[in-house]
Amino acid sequence: MPSTRSRHGFIVVLLALAGSFVAATGATADEGPTQPRFADVDEGRFFAQAVEWAHERGVVTGVTESCFAPDRSATRAEVAAVLQRLVAPDVTEPDHPFSDVQASWQQIPVAWMASAGITTGTSPTEFSPDDPATRAMIGTFLWRIEGRPTIESSHPFTDVRS
């Protein structure tokens, strides 16, 4: 059976690519479906249930109290926060080697990624927290979270070199 991390890998990629978070809404799952939690997440969209699932578990919030911004790219710091909240929510150590990580909400997720070997930064002293997180970066982070498993088959993507 795949690990919990493997089972949730797709949701992490989806949410990291779809958007991210800043403030919690304070709403609970018991409030019912009468009002969508995020005004910009239509119930008919393919990711609506995934966003609600992740929000209920504290993995994501929104860019505002009522806006998720599903079509906006996620930053490297936002991806770090999503991954840390999903994989290691109890981590509290904020020490890391990156001088460009300034926002308080970025400290623990980036420190966790650095100490766990999930990121080496964009240089030895920079993480580039506000840069967009590419699909390649997110794939690399997930691969490292899984312990750098051996790849047993090649991929079909002609735009990805070794």
Side-chain angles (χ1 to χ4, degrees):
M1 174 176 235
S3 70
T4 300
R5 291 183 220 145
S6 293
R7 288 186 301 232
H8 299 304
F10 176 73
I11 190 73
V12 172
V13 172
L14 172 66
L15 292 170
L17 293 173
S20 116
F21 47 90
V22 171
T25 66
T28 66
D30 296 334
E31 292 177 2
T34 57
Q35 179 99 352
R37 183 174 317 271
F38 298 114
D40 59 348
V41 176
D42 179 48
E43 290 181 33
R45 298 290 303 267
F46 70 93
F47 55 81
Q49 289 182 338
V51 169
E52 187 63 27
W53 173 88
H55 186 271
E56 286 178 359
R57 283 152 187 81
V59 176
V60 299
T61 59
V63 296
T64 69
E65 191 170 305
S66 63
C67 181
F68 184 73
D71 297 318
R72 181 178 69 73
S73 294
T75 67
R76 289 173 51 85
E78 290 168 339
V79 170
V82 168
L83 293 173
Q84 181 263 319
R85 288 176 178 176
L86 183 66
V87 176
D90 298 326
V91 171
T92 58
E93 182 57 48
D95 292 333
H96 56 77
F98 307 117
S99 62
D100 61 344
V101 177
Q102 300 296 316
S104 61
W105 66 269
Q106 298 172 353
Q107 302 303 316
I108 291 172
V110 171
W112 167 73
M113 285 184 67
S115 68
I118 298 163
T119 187
T120 57
T122 54
S123 82
T125 59
E126 293 184 340
F127 180 74
S128 303
D130 298 323
D131 284 0
T134 66
R135 294 166 56 92
M137 289 174 193
I138 295 166
T140 301
F141 295 156
L142 292 171
W143 176 72
R144 289 174 180 164
I145 285 170
E146 284 297 310
R148 301 171 188 251
T150 303
I151 309 304
E152 298 185 18
S153 63
S154 63
H155 58 74
F157 307 114
T158 58
D159 61 339
V160 178
R161 291 182 230 134
S162 296

